[in-house]
Amino acid sequence: MRNSVKIITAFILGVFLFSFQNQSQGTSFTSSKKVVVAADTLTWKLLGEIKYLKKKHASYGEVDFPIINTKLKKLAKKTIVMSGFIVPIDNKNYALSKNVFASCFFCGKSGPETIMGIKFKGATPKLKTDTYLTIKGTFRPNEDDVEDWIYNCDNAEIVKGK
């Protein structure tokens, strides 16, 4: 009886440790192939570390211009990985948002730092509103052009989700 309890306990412990090890490595298994998805290299928290400076603009009068922090400026023109919710801008363009559409920047419940413009590499895919996905592309911050997003991801590719 004692040996049976020891064997069952060892088996349960082995299964637990095996599953914990696979979860901690951020892997998932499809068939017998190991699929690894890169962790986000840019976070909404870091994008939220922003200040604004009121300046005169020729067309819009007084405007809050973003002052992007030095950590983000160092990421300019570098490849980043970022996750968020898809928000359609028009029939051909999308943005990545920290929040779902009902709570996004356009509804007034967050700031412009909670959204990132996306320019896809190649053809723009058809995406559904509020789809949570991870993209990889070139980070382009913007402090000067009031007609563009503060944060952009150029040459973007979907690496997870859809």
Side-chain angles (χ1 to χ4, degrees):
M1 180 74 171
R2 280 188 175 176
N3 286 340
S4 297
V5 172
K6 287 180 184 179
I7 291 171
I8 292 171
T9 303
F11 177 74
I12 292 171
L13 184 60
V15 169
F16 173 76
L17 290 175
F18 178 75
S19 65
F20 179 76
Q21 178 183 7
N22 285 336
Q23 288 175 356
S24 66
Q25 291 174 353
T27 60
S28 61
F29 292 93
T30 306
S31 305
S32 62
K33 295 181 182 180
K34 188 174 174 181
V35 177
V36 179
V37 176
D40 289 2
T41 56
L42 192 54
T43 64
W44 293 109
K45 182 178 179 183
L46 181 57
L47 294 180
E49 294 175 14
I50 191 168
K51 295 181 180 174
Y52 295 91
L53 177 65
K54 287 190 184 300
K55 292 196 263 182
K56 293 278 184 190
H57 185 274
S59 301
Y60 299 111
E62 193 171 77
V63 175
D64 285 335
F65 281 84
I67 301 171
I68 296 170
N69 70 55
T70 53
K71 291 177 194 172
L72 291 173
K73 285 183 181 181
K74 289 178 183 177
L75 290 173
K77 298 181 183 177
K78 297 220 171 32
T79 300
I80 55 104
V81 176
M82 185 77 183
S83 296
F85 297 94
I86 285 295
V87 174
I89 304 307
D90 55 31
N91 290 335
K92 296 181 181 180
N93 297 293
Y94 298 100
L96 194 66
S97 177
K98 175 182 178 183
N99 304 307
V100 295
F101 185 75
S103 299
C104 81
F105 165 61
F106 303 114
C107 298
K109 297 181 181 177
S110 352
E113 70 280 357
T114 64
I115 201 156
M116 176 183 288
I118 306 171
K119 288 198 174 58
F120 285 99
K121 184 178 188 176
T124 302
K126 282 216 174 252
L127 299 168
K128 291 183 180 179
T129 302
D130 292 340
T131 300
Y132 189 82
L133 50 81
T134 303
I135 60 172
K136 175 181 161 183
T138 306
F139 182 61
R140 181 174 51 89
N142 166 38
E143 290 182 307
D144 303 313
D145 185 358
V146 296
E147 299 286 335
D148 197 5
W149 305 104
I150 295 173
Y151 305 121
N152 295 276
C153 184
D154 297 329
N155 297 311
E157 299 175 82
I158 298 170
V159 293
K160 184 178 178 186
K162 214 174 184 183

